[in-house]
Amino acid sequence: MGFPNVRRILKIGAPLSSYKLLLMAARFSRPKYSSLCLALLLPFVRDGEVSVCYQCCGRLMRAFIRMSDLQSDYMSVLELGVIDVYHLDHGFHPDLVIDGGGNIGMFTLRAAACLTPQGDSPIRFVVCEPVPTNIKQIRKNLEINRIEANILPVCLGGAHRTIPFYCREANQSSFDSSKPYTSQIEVPVIPLQDALGSNSAERILIKLDIEGMEVETLSAYIPQEKRAVYIVGELHEFSVNAPLMEELFQRNGWTLEIFGIADDLATFRACSPAALPLLKSISKVQARSYVTAAI
C-alpha cells in the first residue's frame, strides 16, 4: 500500500489532491509518521471528509474520502481513481453499466469518464450497494460529477432471498460472520438479470465486487446471456472458485482471464462470444484457460 504508488499519485493532474493522497498513503504505510500525517491532513477536512480531484481519461473528476472510513475510501480512490485495477478496455462502448458492489461509486465514476457511448444515447448506470452509509456516499460522488444512476440497495446473487450482511469498514463488509463486525443488516439479494432489467441494451459492462457471491451470481446469469457483455471483478476464495469459474465460462464459450492473484483473492475479466470482437485487450486470451498474470 502507499509509497509504491507515489509516481501514479503525483500524476493525477491535481497537485493539492496528490498531496492529500500522499499523506494518506504515508499514514497507513509508515506507522512512525502516522500522527504527523494525520495532523497535516486535518486542515483539509470539511464535514468529516477530504475532497480530492483527479484526471481520469482527460476528464477532471472529484470524490470525497470519509475520515470515518479513511483507509478503505483511500484504497477505493487509489484503485479506481489513480489506477485502473480492473483493466477496462476503452474500445468497448457499453449502453449499460452495472456496478455490483458499488462501495462509494468509484467504478461508476471511472466508467463514466473513460467509456464513451456509441451514437447519441448516454450510458445508463445501475449501482448495487447494500450498505446505507455507502449509498449516501455514492449519491454524493455521482452528484458532484453530474452522473445519473439508478442505485439499488441490494446484493447480487443467484436467487431472490434476504440474508444477513456484516458491516465493517466500508470496503470490508461481507456475508462472512467469522470476522469481527460492527453491525449486522438484512439485505435483499436479487439475480443479476433483475439489475439489468428489461431495457434494450446491446453492449453491457458489469463490475462485480460482491464478496464471494461471484460464482453463484454468474452461474445463474451466464447461460442465458447472448448479448455483448464484458465483466470485470474480484474473485474471492481463488483456490476453490477459480476452477468453477473456468468451467462455467468455458462451457458457455466465454473468454476468461484471471490475474493479480494474492492471498486467495484475484481480479478477473471475461467476455461473451458477442463481445470478444469488440475487446482488443482480451482477444488473445483463450476461452479454455485463464492467465495468472501480475498486475
Side-chain angles (χ1 to χ4, degrees), residues 171-191:
N171 66 351
Q172 299 296 321
S173 299
S174 71
F175 306 101
D176 184 2
S177 62
S178 65
K179 301 176 183 178
Y181 57 92
T182 57
S183 62
Q184 175 186 333
I185 59 175
E186 297 294 316
V187 300
V189 178
I190 66 169

mmCIF file of all heavy atoms in Angstrom, residues 171-191:
data_model
loop_
_atom_site.group_PDB
_atom_site.id
_atom_site.type_symbol
_atom_site.label_atom_id
_atom_site.label_comp_id
_atom_site.label_asym_id
_atom_site.label_seq_id
_atom_site.Cartn_x
_atom_site.Cartn_y
_atom_site.Cartn_z
ATOM 1 N N ASN A 171 -15.031 -0.982 2.764
ATOM 2 C CA ASN A 171 -14.749 -1.996 1.752
ATOM 3 C C ASN A 171 -14.478 -3.369 2.345
ATOM 4 O O ASN A 171 -13.952 -4.252 1.665
ATOM 5 C CB ASN A 171 -13.568 -1.565 0.867
ATOM 6 C CG ASN A 171 -12.263 -1.482 1.630
ATOM 7 O OD1 ASN A 171 -12.249 -1.579 2.859
ATOM 8 N ND2 ASN A 171 -11.166 -1.305 0.915
ATOM 9 N N GLN A 172 -14.845 -3.581 3.622
ATOM 10 C CA GLN A 172 -14.588 -4.853 4.285
ATOM 11 C C GLN A 172 -15.867 -5.588 4.684
ATOM 12 O O GLN A 172 -15.797 -6.704 5.193
ATOM 13 C CB GLN A 172 -13.734 -4.619 5.541
ATOM 14 C CG GLN A 172 -12.370 -4.008 5.268
ATOM 15 C CD GLN A 172 -11.479 -4.912 4.441
ATOM 16 O OE1 GLN A 172 -11.467 -6.127 4.634
ATOM 17 N NE2 GLN A 172 -10.737 -4.335 3.509
ATOM 18 N N SER A 173 -17.015 -4.976 4.455
ATOM 19 C CA SER A 173 -18.280 -5.640 4.804
ATOM 20 C C SER A 173 -18.479 -6.865 3.920
ATOM 21 O O SER A 173 -18.042 -6.895 2.769
ATOM 22 C CB SER A 173 -19.437 -4.668 4.627
ATOM 23 O OG SER A 173 -19.283 -3.544 5.466
ATOM 24 N N SER A 174 -19.151 -7.872 4.452
ATOM 25 C CA SER A 174 -19.316 -9.110 3.675
ATOM 26 C C SER A 174 -20.407 -9.972 4.305
ATOM 27 O O SER A 174 -21.037 -9.603 5.297
ATOM 28 C CB SER A 174 -18.002 -9.891 3.624
ATOM 29 O OG SER A 174 -17.700 -10.454 4.890
ATOM 30 N N PHE A 175 -20.578 -11.159 3.728
ATOM 31 C CA PHE A 175 -21.533 -12.141 4.254
ATOM 32 C C PHE A 175 -20.894 -13.050 5.299
ATOM 33 O O PHE A 175 -21.550 -13.922 5.852
ATOM 34 C CB PHE A 175 -22.076 -12.995 3.108
ATOM 35 C CG PHE A 175 -22.669 -12.192 1.988
ATOM 36 C CD1 PHE A 175 -21.959 -11.968 0.823
ATOM 37 C CD2 PHE A 175 -23.931 -11.641 2.105
ATOM 38 C CE1 PHE A 175 -22.493 -11.213 -0.211
ATOM 39 C CE2 PHE A 175 -24.470 -10.882 1.092
ATOM 40 C CZ PHE A 175 -23.753 -10.673 -0.072
ATOM 41 N N ASP A 176 -19.617 -12.862 5.557
ATOM 42 C CA ASP A 176 -18.855 -13.719 6.459
ATOM 43 C C ASP A 176 -18.972 -13.218 7.894
ATOM 44 O O ASP A 176 -18.502 -12.135 8.227
ATOM 45 C CB ASP A 176 -17.385 -13.724 6.007
ATOM 46 C CG ASP A 176 -16.530 -14.668 6.836
ATOM 47 O OD1 ASP A 176 -17.068 -15.343 7.735
ATOM 48 O OD2 ASP A 176 -15.300 -14.714 6.585
ATOM 49 N N SER A 177 -19.583 -14.028 8.751
ATOM 50 C CA SER A 177 -19.770 -13.637 10.151
ATOM 51 C C SER A 177 -18.598 -14.045 11.036
ATOM 52 O O SER A 177 -18.585 -13.744 12.236
ATOM 53 C CB SER A 177 -21.053 -14.266 10.698
ATOM 54 O OG SER A 177 -20.949 -15.693 10.664
ATOM 55 N N SER A 178 -17.610 -14.744 10.476
ATOM 56 C CA SER A 178 -16.499 -15.250 11.282
ATOM 57 C C SER A 178 -15.504 -14.155 11.666
ATOM 58 O O SER A 178 -14.735 -14.318 12.606
ATOM 59 C CB SER A 178 -15.764 -16.365 10.535
ATOM 60 O OG SER A 178 -15.139 -15.877 9.355
ATOM 61 N N LYS A 179 -15.522 -13.023 10.947
ATOM 62 C CA LYS A 179 -14.625 -11.919 11.256
ATOM 63 C C LYS A 179 -15.368 -10.890 12.116
ATOM 64 O O LYS A 179 -16.587 -10.777 12.043
ATOM 65 C CB LYS A 179 -14.141 -11.265 9.963
ATOM 66 C CG LYS A 179 -13.413 -12.218 9.026
ATOM 67 C CD LYS A 179 -13.064 -11.517 7.725
ATOM 68 C CE LYS A 179 -12.396 -12.473 6.752
ATOM 69 N NZ LYS A 179 -12.090 -11.820 5.448
ATOM 70 N N PRO A 180 -14.640 -10.118 12.933
ATOM 71 C CA PRO A 180 -15.297 -9.086 13.753
ATOM 72 C C PRO A 180 -16.071 -8.094 12.884
ATOM 73 O O PRO A 180 -15.627 -7.734 11.791
ATOM 74 C CB PRO A 180 -14.121 -8.401 14.457
ATOM 75 C CG PRO A 180 -13.022 -9.428 14.455
ATOM 76 C CD PRO A 180 -13.184 -10.189 13.175
ATOM 77 N N TYR A 181 -17.221 -7.671 13.361
ATOM 78 C CA TYR A 181 -18.033 -6.720 12.610
ATOM 79 C C TYR A 181 -18.679 -5.738 13.574
ATOM 80 O O TYR A 181 -18.828 -6.007 14.767
ATOM 81 C CB TYR A 181 -19.085 -7.435 11.767
ATOM 82 C CG TYR A 181 -20.025 -8.333 12.541
ATOM 83 C CD1 TYR A 181 -21.244 -7.860 13.021
ATOM 84 C CD2 TYR A 181 -19.708 -9.681 12.763
ATOM 85 C CE1 TYR A 181 -22.112 -8.679 13.728
ATOM 86 C CE2 TYR A 181 -20.569 -10.509 13.462
ATOM 87 C CZ TYR A 181 -21.766 -10.003 13.946
ATOM 88 O OH TYR A 181 -22.609 -10.824 14.643
ATOM 89 N N THR A 182 -19.058 -4.581 13.053
ATOM 90 C CA THR A 182 -19.620 -3.527 13.894
ATOM 91 C C THR A 182 -21.134 -3.573 13.968
ATOM 92 O O THR A 182 -21.726 -3.131 14.941
ATOM 93 C CB THR A 182 -19.180 -2.145 13.375
ATOM 94 O OG1 THR A 182 -19.579 -2.013 11.999
ATOM 95 C CG2 THR A 182 -17.668 -1.985 13.471
ATOM 96 N N SER A 183 -21.762 -4.084 12.904
ATOM 97 C CA SER A 183 -23.218 -4.185 12.894
ATOM 98 C C SER A 183 -23.645 -5.210 11.861
ATOM 99 O O SER A 183 -22.853 -5.635 11.008
ATOM 100 C CB SER A 183 -23.870 -2.830 12.587
ATOM 101 O OG SER A 183 -23.498 -2.379 11.306
ATOM 102 N N GLN A 184 -24.902 -5.603 11.944
ATOM 103 C CA GLN A 184 -25.470 -6.580 11.003
ATOM 104 C C GLN A 184 -26.750 -6.003 10.421
ATOM 105 O O GLN A 184 -27.570 -5.426 11.133
ATOM 106 C CB GLN A 184 -25.764 -7.892 11.718
ATOM 107 C CG GLN A 184 -26.472 -8.938 10.853
ATOM 108 C CD GLN A 184 -26.876 -10.169 11.645
ATOM 109 O OE1 GLN A 184 -26.259 -10.522 12.648
ATOM 110 N NE2 GLN A 184 -27.953 -10.813 11.202
ATOM 111 N N ILE A 185 -26.913 -6.155 9.111
ATOM 112 C CA ILE A 185 -28.142 -5.730 8.460
ATOM 113 C C ILE A 185 -28.675 -6.880 7.622
ATOM 114 O O ILE A 185 -27.926 -7.778 7.222
ATOM 115 C CB ILE A 185 -27.925 -4.475 7.573
ATOM 116 C CG1 ILE A 185 -26.876 -4.750 6.487
ATOM 117 C CG2 ILE A 185 -27.534 -3.282 8.418
ATOM 118 C CD1 ILE A 185 -26.691 -3.594 5.508
ATOM 119 N N GLU A 186 -29.961 -6.865 7.378
ATOM 120 C CA GLU A 186 -30.572 -7.841 6.483
ATOM 121 C C GLU A 186 -30.720 -7.191 5.108
ATOM 122 O O GLU A 186 -31.303 -6.101 4.996
ATOM 123 C CB GLU A 186 -31.939 -8.272 7.014
ATOM 124 C CG GLU A 186 -31.888 -8.982 8.364
ATOM 125 C CD GLU A 186 -31.176 -10.332 8.268
ATOM 126 O OE1 GLU A 186 -31.447 -11.072 7.296
ATOM 127 O OE2 GLU A 186 -30.361 -10.629 9.157
ATOM 128 N N VAL A 187 -30.192 -7.826 4.079
ATOM 129 C CA VAL A 187 -30.219 -7.207 2.756
ATOM 130 C C VAL A 187 -30.905 -8.140 1.750
ATOM 131 O O VAL A 187 -30.751 -9.361 1.800
ATOM 132 C CB VAL A 187 -28.800 -6.867 2.261
ATOM 133 C CG1 VAL A 187 -28.116 -5.903 3.205
ATOM 134 C CG2 VAL A 187 -27.954 -8.116 2.088
ATOM 135 N N PRO A 188 -31.661 -7.566 0.833
ATOM 136 C CA PRO A 188 -32.265 -8.367 -0.230
ATOM 137 C C PRO A 188 -31.216 -8.752 -1.270
ATOM 138 O O PRO A 188 -30.333 -7.959 -1.606
ATOM 139 C CB PRO A 188 -33.312 -7.429 -0.822
ATOM 140 C CG PRO A 188 -32.834 -6.057 -0.496
ATOM 141 C CD PRO A 188 -32.076 -6.156 0.789
ATOM 142 N N VAL A 189 -31.336 -9.964 -1.753
ATOM 143 C CA VAL A 189 -30.474 -10.462 -2.823
ATOM 144 C C VAL A 189 -31.321 -10.592 -4.085
ATOM 145 O O VAL A 189 -32.440 -11.123 -4.037
ATOM 146 C CB VAL A 189 -29.862 -11.835 -2.460
ATOM 147 C CG1 VAL A 189 -29.013 -12.369 -3.606
ATOM 148 C CG2 VAL A 189 -29.032 -11.727 -1.197
ATOM 149 N N ILE A 190 -30.790 -10.099 -5.193
ATOM 150 C CA ILE A 190 -31.503 -10.225 -6.468
ATOM 151 C C ILE A 190 -30.574 -10.817 -7.509
ATOM 152 O O ILE A 190 -29.350 -10.637 -7.439
ATOM 153 C CB ILE A 190 -32.042 -8.861 -6.966
ATOM 154 C CG1 ILE A 190 -30.901 -7.901 -7.310
ATOM 155 C CG2 ILE A 190 -32.982 -8.243 -5.932
ATOM 156 C CD1 ILE A 190 -31.340 -6.646 -8.036
ATOM 157 N N PRO A 191 -31.104 -11.536 -8.484
ATOM 158 C CA PRO A 191 -30.264 -12.024 -9.581
ATOM 159 C C PRO A 191 -29.761 -10.864 -10.429
ATOM 160 O O PRO A 191 -30.390 -9.792 -10.501
ATOM 161 C CB PRO A 191 -31.217 -12.921 -10.387
ATOM 162 C CG PRO A 191 -32.345 -13.234 -9.462
ATOM 163 C CD PRO A 191 -32.483 -12.045 -8.566
#
